[in-house]
Amino acid sequence: MNITEAVNMILERYPDQGYDAFIDLNKIKDDDLQEAVRFIKSMRGPRHVELSHAEKAERENFKKMIEKGYTYRTIARETGLAERTVKRKVSDYGFKKLYYQTRPHGIRAGVPMICININTGEQKVIESIGKAEKAFNFKRGYLGDKTKDRRFYVYGGWVFRRAN
């Protein structure tokens, strides 16, 4: 028996229902159609797969880490997974929206900024890039882009560089 024969057998018996009969094959109780019903059921994949205990625990662990404000890199370090895998799993678990709600302005880890005045030698250590941008009236993300990859940025008599 092939799929066409099985479908045609059921449609001959239930012509007015069409494919609605296939939604719940358990409703078909005719003995002569049971072979066709079993064949179609074997062709279908599982509709819902229960998560294992380990998968449920991992899902909850990811959710707790995101709610605590962990970055993708920190989650990867804690779980031992690659950062790309963490991003994919966060998306697969449906936590991507939650992640961006807890981090509305992107990932800005507490990277201290060292600001040195060229003329006076005054040195300020500001606790994060975002606060340094506000203190020196840069637009959001500007200073972070200028100082990434261990670069320094000179502007208005000041030298900006990341502390670590």
Side-chain angles (χ1 to χ4, degrees):
M1 174 178 287
N2 63 24
I3 189 72
T4 308
E5 292 172 357
V7 170
N8 288 336
M9 284 175 64
I10 294 174
L11 285 178
E12 285 174 12
R13 187 69 55 90
Y14 301 99
D16 56 331
Q17 292 181 356
Y19 289 102
D20 292 340
F22 296 116
I23 293 173
D24 190 7
L25 291 173
N26 294 327
K27 292 181 181 177
I28 299 175
K29 299 295 182 192
D30 300 342
D31 291 333
D32 55 333
L33 293 177
Q34 289 305 308
E35 183 182 350
V37 169
R38 277 194 300 277
F39 182 77
I40 292 173
K41 281 184 178 179
S42 71
M43 296 294 289
R44 287 182 171 180
R47 284 190 171 189
H48 179 69
V49 178
E50 287 293 322
L51 295 175
S52 69
H53 178 69
E55 289 172 326
K56 287 179 185 176
E58 182 182 65
R59 184 183 199 124
E60 290 302 314
N61 192 18
F62 270 76
K63 187 174 183 180
K64 287 177 186 173
M65 287 179 169
I66 290 169
E67 288 172 346
K68 287 180 182 177
Y70 284 26
T71 62
Y72 285 140
R73 182 171 289 158
T74 311
I75 294 172
R77 196 174 331 126
E78 293 289 324
T79 59
L81 300 171
E83 192 172 342
R84 294 177 104 187
T85 306
V86 170
K87 288 179 185 178
R88 183 184 48 80
K89 285 191 175 211
V90 166
S91 179
D92 289 348
Y93 290 153
F95 297 147
K96 198 168 191 172
K97 189 173 185 179
L98 175 67
Y99 184 82
Y100 285 105
Q101 286 173 350
T102 60
R103 301 294 229 163
H105 303 296
I107 301 168
R108 293 185 181 276
V111 177
M113 290 295 295
I114 298 174
C115 311
I116 303 169
N117 189 322
I118 297 171
N119 301 326
T120 64
E122 177 188 0
Q123 180 174 342
K124 292 183 182 179
V125 178
I126 301 176
E127 63 187 65
S128 71
I129 294 173
K131 289 184 179 182
E133 289 170 346
K134 285 180 183 177
F136 289 93
N137 295 322
F138 291 116
K139 61 183 182 178
R140 182 174 298 163
Y142 182 79
L143 197 54
D145 289 339
K146 293 292 185 182
T147 59
K148 66 183 173 185
D149 299 327
R150 299 191 183 274
R151 292 183 297 189
F152 63 91
Y153 179 64
V154 179
Y155 177 78
W158 288 87
V159 176
F160 302 93
R161 67 181 175 88
R162 296 178 187 221
N164 37 336

